[in-house]
Amino acid sequence: MKIISVVGARPNFMKMAPIDKEIRKHNSEFPAEGFKHIICHTGQHYDMNMSDVFFYDLELPKPEYYLNVGSGSHAEQTAKIMIEFEKVLFNEKPDIIIVYGDVNSTIACSLVAAKLGIKIVHVEAGLRSFDREMPEEINRVLTDHLADYLFVTEKAGIKNLDSEGIPQDKMFFVGNVMIDSLIYYLPRTVKSNIMYNLELQPSSYLLVTLHRPSNVDNPENITKILSLLNKLAEKRKIIFPVHPRARNRIKNNLSDFNKNLFITDPIGYIDFLTLMKNAELVLTDSGGIQEETTYLGVQCLTIRNNTERPVTVEIGTNQLAGTDSEKILQAAYGIINNGEIKKGSIPDLWDGKTSERIVHMISNFQ
Ligand code: UD1
């Protein structure tokens, strides 16, 4: 069976890595069934520290295809990916493509494959924020309706797909491949120098990531969030690896920062896991980090009004803090000043074996 995995943006790489490893394992155990796994990188993310460092840290092979689409408006980026990916499909004629998550590369390639009658596997299906202002929500809904096999990370996903009329026999609750990566690579964090380099002690600093357009593209919102971080920096060191989307806006505010607020370039996978594992509190608007902190039992405040990953709030250590600076500040003070810790547990099937389940199921699809 010939399979093409499509990746494009940072959060795709750690979701594909365990699938690639599992396919290699499957091929060595069942050579007669042999999968051919081809990696296609669209080039949606292209900076060294948004892409290459992840291929290195995750020990991923060089992609067979690099589409080099780069940045652009949503329509430009999606359209460029579609044009280039169609050529790949004509050339390779795969049996299946695997798409991951909810980025523009995910929907663009699903659309191309669906029109060519090629089966689509969606890894991380069923998540819904019910907020159509998020480009990712549109990508999620459309990808799920095009996909033939939908692999779901948390039970709410099955309910969401069911209520959209997707047939039960297409959906499989298998757990979370990103947690497979986390479990596999966590032991490597002992070799990371990042704590030493940034002069950090465990549980004594905050880690921040922000990249949602709603938070960083609006000058008023990002200014409010930065002044909130400045206040928190009076209490704790803050490490803030800045996504390229937020870089310019933050540079404009640079002069006023408290010296405890440490702004860095984006950080590689192993170093970031190290920072997350040791943080007292993480403030983020990322989807994946809500899940990773829940697995690690680290306190997380999500700077959004909704989440497509409700299990992290229901049973994990994540709290939806909203976008009002004063409320976020009070929630953060609650944790760092008053020890108001949210106890959490690990969601079902987030056990490091999701990619094994997925590859086993794919092998039965033929
Ligand atoms: C994308 C995903 C988002 C995901 C995020 C993770 C979509 C719609 N959004 O958002 O779901 O959480 O990736 O990072 O697919 N840029 C660079 N270098 C890069 C990549 C981007 O400088 O390597 C800059 C460009 O100016 C670009 C901007 O960042 O215009 C935004 O990049 P883009 O891929 O459009 O969206 P993200 O915000 O990264």
Side-chain angles (χ1 to χ4, degrees), residues 9-11 44-47 50 71-72 74 77 102-105 135-136 139 211-212 243-245 247:
R10 183 168 62 177
Q44 177 175 346
H45 285 178
Y46 44 85
D47 283 359
M50 293 296 284
S71 301
H74 282 271
Q77 193 174 58
D102 54 17
V103 302
N104 285 343
S105 302
E136 294 83 358
N139 296 343
H211 72 280
R212 296 265 153 240
H243 186 283
R245 174 181 277 292
R247 199 162 35 206

PDB file of all heavy atoms in Angstrom, residues 9-11 44-47 50 71-72 74 77 102-105 135-136 139 211-212 243-245 247, ligand 1:
ATOM      1  N   ALA A   9       2.850  22.581   8.666  1.00  0.00           N
ATOM      2  CA  ALA A   9       3.071  23.573   9.713  1.00  0.00           C
ATOM      3  C   ALA A   9       3.572  22.883  10.980  1.00  0.00           C
ATOM      4  O   ALA A   9       3.358  21.678  11.165  1.00  0.00           O
ATOM      5  CB  ALA A   9       1.767  24.325   9.990  1.00  0.00           C
ATOM      6  N   ARG A  10       4.194  23.670  11.831  1.00  0.00           N
ATOM      7  CA  ARG A  10       4.867  23.133  13.025  1.00  0.00           C
ATOM      8  C   ARG A  10       4.093  22.035  13.757  1.00  0.00           C
ATOM      9  O   ARG A  10       4.669  20.982  14.040  1.00  0.00           O
ATOM     10  CB  ARG A  10       5.216  24.310  13.945  1.00  0.00           C
ATOM     11  CG  ARG A  10       5.975  23.913  15.174  1.00  0.00           C
ATOM     12  CD  ARG A  10       6.547  25.107  15.897  1.00  0.00           C
ATOM     13  NE  ARG A  10       5.529  26.027  16.380  1.00  0.00           N
ATOM     14  CZ  ARG A  10       5.774  27.121  17.099  1.00  0.00           C
ATOM     15  NH1 ARG A  10       7.033  27.445  17.396  1.00  0.00           N
ATOM     16  NH2 ARG A  10       4.803  27.911  17.506  1.00  0.00           N
ATOM     17  N   PRO A  11       2.799  22.249  14.086  1.00  0.00           N
ATOM     18  CA  PRO A  11       2.134  21.208  14.890  1.00  0.00           C
ATOM     19  C   PRO A  11       1.895  19.896  14.139  1.00  0.00           C
ATOM     20  O   PRO A  11       1.485  18.914  14.755  1.00  0.00           O
ATOM     21  CB  PRO A  11       0.803  21.861  15.272  1.00  0.00           C
ATOM     22  CG  PRO A  11       0.586  22.925  14.264  1.00  0.00           C
ATOM     23  CD  PRO A  11       1.931  23.400  13.823  1.00  0.00           C
ATOM     24  N   GLN A  44       4.436  25.202   4.157  1.00  0.00           N
ATOM     25  CA  GLN A  44       3.653  26.278   4.808  1.00  0.00           C
ATOM     26  C   GLN A  44       4.512  26.965   5.863  1.00  0.00           C
ATOM     27  O   GLN A  44       4.550  28.189   5.946  1.00  0.00           O
ATOM     28  CB  GLN A  44       2.364  25.696   5.423  1.00  0.00           C
ATOM     29  CG  GLN A  44       1.548  26.723   6.173  1.00  0.00           C
ATOM     30  CD  GLN A  44       0.201  26.197   6.692  1.00  0.00           C
ATOM     31  OE1 GLN A  44      -0.271  25.141   6.293  1.00  0.00           O
ATOM     32  NE2 GLN A  44      -0.412  26.954   7.581  1.00  0.00           N
ATOM     33  N   HIS A  45       5.185  26.166   6.697  1.00  0.00           N
ATOM     34  CA  HIS A  45       6.216  26.713   7.588  1.00  0.00           C
ATOM     35  C   HIS A  45       7.570  26.346   7.007  1.00  0.00           C
ATOM     36  O   HIS A  45       7.786  25.217   6.575  1.00  0.00           O
ATOM     37  CB  HIS A  45       6.065  26.172   9.007  1.00  0.00           C
ATOM     38  CG  HIS A  45       4.911  26.800   9.740  1.00  0.00           C
ATOM     39  ND1 HIS A  45       4.536  26.459  11.008  1.00  0.00           N
ATOM     40  CD2 HIS A  45       4.041  27.778   9.347  1.00  0.00           C
ATOM     41  CE1 HIS A  45       3.486  27.196  11.383  1.00  0.00           C
ATOM     42  NE2 HIS A  45       3.167  27.994  10.390  1.00  0.00           N
ATOM     43  N   TYR A  46       8.477  27.299   6.991  1.00  0.00           N
ATOM     44  CA  TYR A  46       9.720  27.129   6.236  1.00  0.00           C
ATOM     45  C   TYR A  46      10.946  27.612   7.007  1.00  0.00           C
ATOM     46  O   TYR A  46      12.069  27.309   6.650  1.00  0.00           O
ATOM     47  CB  TYR A  46       9.621  27.904   4.907  1.00  0.00           C
ATOM     48  CG  TYR A  46       9.014  29.275   5.106  1.00  0.00           C
ATOM     49  CD1 TYR A  46       9.783  30.360   5.478  1.00  0.00           C
ATOM     50  CD2 TYR A  46       7.633  29.465   4.991  1.00  0.00           C
ATOM     51  CE1 TYR A  46       9.204  31.605   5.723  1.00  0.00           C
ATOM     52  CE2 TYR A  46       7.045  30.692   5.229  1.00  0.00           C
ATOM     53  CZ  TYR A  46       7.839  31.757   5.598  1.00  0.00           C
ATOM     54  OH  TYR A  46       7.271  32.964   5.855  1.00  0.00           O
ATOM     55  N   ASP A  47      10.756  28.408   8.090  1.00  0.00           N
ATOM     56  CA  ASP A  47      11.917  28.876   8.856  1.00  0.00           C
ATOM     57  C   ASP A  47      12.626  27.682   9.490  1.00  0.00           C
ATOM     58  O   ASP A  47      11.967  26.705   9.856  1.00  0.00           O
ATOM     59  CB  ASP A  47      11.481  29.803  10.012  1.00  0.00           C
ATOM     60  CG  ASP A  47      11.126  31.209   9.542  1.00  0.00           C
ATOM     61  OD1 ASP A  47      11.231  31.474   8.331  1.00  0.00           O
ATOM     62  OD2 ASP A  47      10.725  32.025  10.399  1.00  0.00           O
ATOM     63  N   MET A  50      10.979  26.842  12.698  1.00  0.00           N
ATOM     64  CA  MET A  50       9.564  26.442  12.649  1.00  0.00           C
ATOM     65  C   MET A  50       9.417  25.076  11.966  1.00  0.00           C
ATOM     66  O   MET A  50       8.347  24.462  12.020  1.00  0.00           O
ATOM     67  CB  MET A  50       8.733  27.460  11.860  1.00  0.00           C
ATOM     68  CG  MET A  50       8.611  28.817  12.496  1.00  0.00           C
ATOM     69  SD  MET A  50       7.728  28.774  14.064  1.00  0.00           S
ATOM     70  CE  MET A  50       6.037  28.590  13.492  1.00  0.00           C
ATOM     71  N   SER A  71       4.423  31.585   2.668  1.00  0.00           N
ATOM     72  CA  SER A  71       3.313  32.335   3.265  1.00  0.00           C
ATOM     73  C   SER A  71       2.455  33.001   2.199  1.00  0.00           C
ATOM     74  O   SER A  71       2.829  33.069   1.034  1.00  0.00           O
ATOM     75  CB  SER A  71       3.864  33.404   4.202  1.00  0.00           C
ATOM     76  OG  SER A  71       4.639  32.802   5.200  1.00  0.00           O
ATOM     77  N   GLY A  72       1.312  33.519   2.642  1.00  0.00           N
ATOM     78  CA  GLY A  72       0.402  34.229   1.742  1.00  0.00           C
ATOM     79  C   GLY A  72      -0.928  34.353   2.430  1.00  0.00           C
ATOM     80  O   GLY A  72      -1.086  33.911   3.576  1.00  0.00           O
ATOM     81  N   HIS A  74      -4.858  33.331   3.070  1.00  0.00           N
ATOM     82  CA  HIS A  74      -5.384  31.959   3.169  1.00  0.00           C
ATOM     83  C   HIS A  74      -5.660  31.387   1.790  1.00  0.00           C
ATOM     84  O   HIS A  74      -5.317  30.239   1.502  1.00  0.00           O
ATOM     85  CB  HIS A  74      -6.650  31.932   4.031  1.00  0.00           C
ATOM     86  CG  HIS A  74      -6.325  31.991   5.484  1.00  0.00           C
ATOM     87  ND1 HIS A  74      -6.099  30.881   6.243  1.00  0.00           N
ATOM     88  CD2 HIS A  74      -6.132  33.051   6.299  1.00  0.00           C
ATOM     89  CE1 HIS A  74      -5.790  31.241   7.474  1.00  0.00           C
ATOM     90  NE2 HIS A  74      -5.806  32.557   7.529  1.00  0.00           N
ATOM     91  N   GLN A  77      -2.328  30.696  -0.122  1.00  0.00           N
ATOM     92  CA  GLN A  77      -1.582  29.561   0.430  1.00  0.00           C
ATOM     93  C   GLN A  77      -2.298  28.242   0.096  1.00  0.00           C
ATOM     94  O   GLN A  77      -1.677  27.290  -0.380  1.00  0.00           O
ATOM     95  CB  GLN A  77      -1.482  29.742   1.947  1.00  0.00           C
ATOM     96  CG  GLN A  77      -0.498  28.826   2.613  1.00  0.00           C
ATOM     97  CD  GLN A  77      -0.371  29.176   4.087  1.00  0.00           C
ATOM     98  OE1 GLN A  77      -1.360  29.159   4.814  1.00  0.00           O
ATOM     99  NE2 GLN A  77       0.840  29.486   4.519  1.00  0.00           N
ATOM    100  N   ASP A 102      -5.313  20.583  11.659  1.00  0.00           N
ATOM    101  CA  ASP A 102      -6.322  21.534  11.165  1.00  0.00           C
ATOM    102  C   ASP A 102      -5.719  22.724  10.428  1.00  0.00           C
ATOM    103  O   ASP A 102      -6.311  23.792  10.379  1.00  0.00           O
ATOM    104  CB  ASP A 102      -7.146  22.042  12.359  1.00  0.00           C
ATOM    105  CG  ASP A 102      -6.264  22.632  13.462  1.00  0.00           C
ATOM    106  OD1 ASP A 102      -5.091  22.943  13.183  1.00  0.00           O
ATOM    107  OD2 ASP A 102      -6.757  22.785  14.598  1.00  0.00           O
ATOM    108  N   VAL A 103      -4.519  22.548   9.885  1.00  0.00           N
ATOM    109  CA  VAL A 103      -3.880  23.713   9.248  1.00  0.00           C
ATOM    110  C   VAL A 103      -4.273  23.798   7.776  1.00  0.00           C
ATOM    111  O   VAL A 103      -4.944  22.910   7.251  1.00  0.00           O
ATOM    112  CB  VAL A 103      -2.336  23.675   9.428  1.00  0.00           C
ATOM    113  CG1 VAL A 103      -1.985  23.635  10.904  1.00  0.00           C
ATOM    114  CG2 VAL A 103      -1.710  22.507   8.696  1.00  0.00           C
ATOM    115  N   ASN A 104      -3.871  24.874   7.106  1.00  0.00           N
ATOM    116  CA  ASN A 104      -4.278  25.035   5.713  1.00  0.00           C
ATOM    117  C   ASN A 104      -3.788  23.885   4.828  1.00  0.00           C
ATOM    118  O   ASN A 104      -4.474  23.496   3.882  1.00  0.00           O
ATOM    119  CB  ASN A 104      -3.768  26.382   5.171  1.00  0.00           C
ATOM    120  CG  ASN A 104      -4.594  27.546   5.709  1.00  0.00           C
ATOM    121  OD1 ASN A 104      -5.703  27.351   6.218  1.00  0.00           O
ATOM    122  ND2 ASN A 104      -4.059  28.759   5.607  1.00  0.00           N
ATOM    123  N   SER A 105      -2.621  23.333   5.133  1.00  0.00           N
ATOM    124  CA  SER A 105      -2.123  22.190   4.349  1.00  0.00           C
ATOM    125  C   SER A 105      -3.073  20.991   4.468  1.00  0.00           C
ATOM    126  O   SER A 105      -3.213  20.217   3.520  1.00  0.00           O
ATOM    127  CB  SER A 105      -0.731  21.776   4.854  1.00  0.00           C
ATOM    128  OG  SER A 105       0.161  22.861   4.755  1.00  0.00           O
ATOM    129  N   PRO A 135      -9.711  30.154  11.538  1.00  0.00           N
ATOM    130  CA  PRO A 135      -9.536  29.444  10.259  1.00  0.00           C
ATOM    131  C   PRO A 135      -9.426  27.930  10.452  1.00  0.00           C
ATOM    132  O   PRO A 135      -9.907  27.150   9.631  1.00  0.00           O
ATOM    133  CB  PRO A 135      -8.222  30.011   9.696  1.00  0.00           C
ATOM    134  CG  PRO A 135      -7.595  30.821  10.785  1.00  0.00           C
ATOM    135  CD  PRO A 135      -8.667  31.160  11.763  1.00  0.00           C
ATOM    136  N   GLU A 136      -8.853  27.525  11.588  1.00  0.00           N
ATOM    137  CA  GLU A 136      -8.677  26.089  11.840  1.00  0.00           C
ATOM    138  C   GLU A 136     -10.017  25.370  11.951  1.00  0.00           C
ATOM    139  O   GLU A 136     -10.121  24.202  11.601  1.00  0.00           O
ATOM    140  CB  GLU A 136      -7.885  25.861  13.138  1.00  0.00           C
ATOM    141  CG  GLU A 136      -6.449  26.341  13.108  1.00  0.00           C
ATOM    142  CD  GLU A 136      -6.296  27.824  13.393  1.00  0.00           C
ATOM    143  OE1 GLU A 136      -7.316  28.525  13.591  1.00  0.00           O
ATOM    144  OE2 GLU A 136      -5.143  28.292  13.421  1.00  0.00           O
ATOM    145  N   ASN A 139     -11.174  24.529   8.594  1.00  0.00           N
ATOM    146  CA  ASN A 139     -10.355  23.425   8.084  1.00  0.00           C
ATOM    147  C   ASN A 139     -10.773  22.087   8.695  1.00  0.00           C
ATOM    148  O   ASN A 139     -10.820  21.067   8.011  1.00  0.00           O
ATOM    149  CB  ASN A 139      -8.868  23.682   8.379  1.00  0.00           C
ATOM    150  CG  ASN A 139      -8.335  24.913   7.646  1.00  0.00           C
ATOM    151  OD1 ASN A 139      -8.950  25.389   6.697  1.00  0.00           O
ATOM    152  ND2 ASN A 139      -7.191  25.426   8.074  1.00  0.00           N
ATOM    153  N   HIS A 211      -0.043  32.847  19.278  1.00  0.00           N
ATOM    154  CA  HIS A 211       0.038  33.060  17.831  1.00  0.00           C
ATOM    155  C   HIS A 211      -1.310  33.197  17.143  1.00  0.00           C
ATOM    156  O   HIS A 211      -1.363  33.441  15.946  1.00  0.00           O
ATOM    157  CB  HIS A 211       0.830  31.928  17.164  1.00  0.00           C
ATOM    158  CG  HIS A 211       0.076  30.640  17.137  1.00  0.00           C
ATOM    159  ND1 HIS A 211      -0.017  29.811  18.222  1.00  0.00           N
ATOM    160  CD2 HIS A 211      -0.656  30.048  16.160  1.00  0.00           C
ATOM    161  CE1 HIS A 211      -0.741  28.759  17.930  1.00  0.00           C
ATOM    162  NE2 HIS A 211      -1.153  28.875  16.689  1.00  0.00           N
ATOM    163  N   ARG A 212      -2.424  33.040  17.894  1.00  0.00           N
ATOM    164  CA  ARG A 212      -3.742  33.153  17.242  1.00  0.00           C
ATOM    165  C   ARG A 212      -3.907  34.558  16.673  1.00  0.00           C
ATOM    166  O   ARG A 212      -3.636  35.550  17.375  1.00  0.00           O
ATOM    167  CB  ARG A 212      -4.875  32.947  18.250  1.00  0.00           C
ATOM    168  CG  ARG A 212      -4.927  31.615  18.854  1.00  0.00           C
ATOM    169  CD  ARG A 212      -5.881  30.661  18.150  1.00  0.00           C
ATOM    170  NE  ARG A 212      -5.397  29.335  18.391  1.00  0.00           N
ATOM    171  CZ  ARG A 212      -5.016  28.465  17.466  1.00  0.00           C
ATOM    172  NH1 ARG A 212      -5.122  28.758  16.186  1.00  0.00           N
ATOM    173  NH2 ARG A 212      -4.546  27.280  17.782  1.00  0.00           N
ATOM    174  N   HIS A 243       6.364  33.358  18.090  1.00  0.00           N
ATOM    175  CA  HIS A 243       5.997  32.841  16.768  1.00  0.00           C
ATOM    176  C   HIS A 243       6.215  33.959  15.732  1.00  0.00           C
ATOM    177  O   HIS A 243       5.968  35.133  16.040  1.00  0.00           O
ATOM    178  CB  HIS A 243       4.520  32.443  16.852  1.00  0.00           C
ATOM    179  CG  HIS A 243       3.999  31.754  15.641  1.00  0.00           C
ATOM    180  ND1 HIS A 243       3.677  32.420  14.494  1.00  0.00           N
ATOM    181  CD2 HIS A 243       3.731  30.455  15.398  1.00  0.00           C
ATOM    182  CE1 HIS A 243       3.236  31.563  13.596  1.00  0.00           C
ATOM    183  NE2 HIS A 243       3.253  30.360  14.125  1.00  0.00           N
ATOM    184  N   PRO A 244       6.617  33.610  14.506  1.00  0.00           N
ATOM    185  CA  PRO A 244       6.849  34.671  13.503  1.00  0.00           C
ATOM    186  C   PRO A 244       5.655  35.597  13.313  1.00  0.00           C
ATOM    187  O   PRO A 244       5.811  36.786  13.060  1.00  0.00           O
ATOM    188  CB  PRO A 244       7.131  33.900  12.211  1.00  0.00           C
ATOM    189  CG  PRO A 244       7.450  32.517  12.600  1.00  0.00           C
ATOM    190  CD  PRO A 244       6.930  32.279  13.980  1.00  0.00           C
ATOM    191  N   ARG A 245       4.450  35.044  13.466  1.00  0.00           N
ATOM    192  CA  ARG A 245       3.257  35.881  13.289  1.00  0.00           C
ATOM    193  C   ARG A 245       3.230  37.076  14.247  1.00  0.00           C
ATOM    194  O   ARG A 245       2.735  38.149  13.919  1.00  0.00           O
ATOM    195  CB  ARG A 245       2.004  35.010  13.519  1.00  0.00           C
ATOM    196  CG  ARG A 245       0.714  35.751  13.512  1.00  0.00           C
ATOM    197  CD  ARG A 245      -0.445  34.828  13.774  1.00  0.00           C
ATOM    198  NE  ARG A 245      -0.889  34.126  12.582  1.00  0.00           N
ATOM    199  CZ  ARG A 245      -1.476  34.710  11.546  1.00  0.00           C
ATOM    200  NH1 ARG A 245      -1.674  35.994  11.513  1.00  0.00           N
ATOM    201  NH2 ARG A 245      -1.866  33.992  10.521  1.00  0.00           N
ATOM    202  N   ARG A 247       5.998  38.370  15.794  1.00  0.00           N
ATOM    203  CA  ARG A 247       7.323  38.988  15.940  1.00  0.00           C
ATOM    204  C   ARG A 247       7.307  40.511  15.794  1.00  0.00           C
ATOM    205  O   ARG A 247       7.769  41.232  16.668  1.00  0.00           O
ATOM    206  CB  ARG A 247       8.260  38.360  14.899  1.00  0.00           C
ATOM    207  CG  ARG A 247       9.719  38.530  15.170  1.00  0.00           C
ATOM    208  CD  ARG A 247      10.550  37.534  14.363  1.00  0.00           C
ATOM    209  NE  ARG A 247      10.005  37.233  13.038  1.00  0.00           N
ATOM    210  CZ  ARG A 247      10.229  36.080  12.388  1.00  0.00           C
ATOM    211  NH1 ARG A 247      10.965  35.141  12.911  1.00  0.00           N
ATOM    212  NH2 ARG A 247       9.713  35.882  11.198  1.00  0.00           N
TER     213      ARG A 247
HETATM  214  C1  UD1 B   1      -0.507  27.939  11.398  1.00  0.00           C
HETATM  215  C2  UD1 B   1      -1.852  27.229  11.520  1.00  0.00           C
HETATM  216  C3  UD1 B   1      -2.234  27.135  12.988  1.00  0.00           C
HETATM  217  C4  UD1 B   1      -1.141  26.501  13.803  1.00  0.00           C
HETATM  218  C5  UD1 B   1       0.135  27.299  13.603  1.00  0.00           C
HETATM  219  C6  UD1 B   1       1.284  26.728  14.394  1.00  0.00           C
HETATM  220  C7  UD1 B   1      -3.375  27.582   9.635  1.00  0.00           C
HETATM  221  C8  UD1 B   1      -4.610  28.258   9.202  1.00  0.00           C
HETATM  222  N1  UD1 B   1      -2.905  27.944  10.833  1.00  0.00           N
HETATM  223  O1  UD1 B   1      -0.725  29.285  11.823  1.00  0.00           O
HETATM  224  O2  UD1 B   1      -3.389  26.346  13.114  1.00  0.00           O
HETATM  225  O3  UD1 B   1      -1.499  26.494  15.173  1.00  0.00           O
HETATM  226  O4  UD1 B   1       0.449  27.283  12.206  1.00  0.00           O
HETATM  227  O5  UD1 B   1       2.408  27.492  14.288  1.00  0.00           O
HETATM  228  O6  UD1 B   1      -2.858  26.745   8.919  1.00  0.00           O
HETATM  229  N2  UD1 B   1       5.925  32.729   9.064  1.00  0.00           N
HETATM  230  C9  UD1 B   1       7.284  32.821   9.025  1.00  0.00           C
HETATM  231  N3  UD1 B   1       8.004  31.661   8.952  1.00  0.00           N
HETATM  232  C10 UD1 B   1       7.417  30.435   8.926  1.00  0.00           C
HETATM  233  C11 UD1 B   1       6.006  30.369   8.961  1.00  0.00           C
HETATM  234  C12 UD1 B   1       5.277  31.523   9.047  1.00  0.00           C
HETATM  235  O7  UD1 B   1       7.861  33.902   9.053  1.00  0.00           O
HETATM  236  O8  UD1 B   1       8.150  29.426   8.883  1.00  0.00           O
HETATM  237  C13 UD1 B   1       5.134  33.979   9.203  1.00  0.00           C
HETATM  238  C14 UD1 B   1       4.652  34.534   7.905  1.00  0.00           C
HETATM  239  O9  UD1 B   1       4.702  35.910   7.975  1.00  0.00           O
HETATM  240  C15 UD1 B   1       3.211  34.078   7.858  1.00  0.00           C
HETATM  241  C16 UD1 B   1       2.824  34.087   9.337  1.00  0.00           C
HETATM  242  O10 UD1 B   1       4.006  33.724  10.023  1.00  0.00           O
HETATM  243  O11 UD1 B   1       2.421  34.905   7.086  1.00  0.00           O
HETATM  244  C17 UD1 B   1       1.729  33.126   9.665  1.00  0.00           C
HETATM  245  O12 UD1 B   1       2.016  31.814   9.165  1.00  0.00           O
HETATM  246  P1  UD1 B   1       0.828  30.848   8.676  1.00  0.00           P
HETATM  247  O13 UD1 B   1       1.351  29.515   8.301  1.00  0.00           O
HETATM  248  O14 UD1 B   1      -0.026  31.528   7.686  1.00  0.00           O
HETATM  249  O15 UD1 B   1      -0.077  30.701   9.965  1.00  0.00           O
HETATM  250  P2  UD1 B   1       0.309  30.438  11.474  1.00  0.00           P
HETATM  251  O16 UD1 B   1      -0.095  31.607  12.284  1.00  0.00           O
HETATM  252  O17 UD1 B   1       1.699  29.945  11.627  1.00  0.00           O
END
